[in-house]
Amino acid sequence: MRIGRGTRIGAHAVVEGRTSIGCDNQIFHHASVGSIPQDLKYRGEDSELLIGDRNTIREFTTLNPGTAGGGW
């Protein structure tokens, strides 16, 4: 996991897995970032979530890595 300079993560937000977050992002409370894909065809293949710079991820948002079936 990599979290860039100036990125703020709110209370009770979860950041996990192979996740790379750029600089100056804001992740609000109760967001879920980087947990395993919800795709039922996911079988543990190597996948990662890449988030660039200056994004706003609002409350209760879920961001998962891609899957082979979805083109990563």
Side-chain angles (χ1 to χ4, degrees):
M1 179 179 348
R2 180 189 152 302
I3 299 174
R5 185 183 68 243
T7 291
R8 294 171 291 166
I9 300 174
H12 305 288
V14 176
V15 179
E16 62 183 345
R18 292 189 58 207
T19 300
S20 180
I21 302 172
C23 297
D24 300 317
N25 291 287
Q26 185 168 9
I27 300 174
F28 282 81
H29 58 278
H30 297 286
S32 174
V33 178
S35 59
I36 64 170
Q38 296 180 24
D39 187 335
L40 296 176
K41 295 180 291 304
Y42 176 71
R43 297 290 180 248
E45 57 268 21
D46 220 11
S47 182
E48 64 183 317
L49 177 63
L50 304 174
I51 298 172
D53 299 332
R54 295 175 299 283
N55 294 287
T56 300
I57 299 170
R58 296 300 307 198
E59 304 87 349
F60 301 100
T61 299
T62 300
L63 298 175
N64 304 108
T67 62
W72 301 110

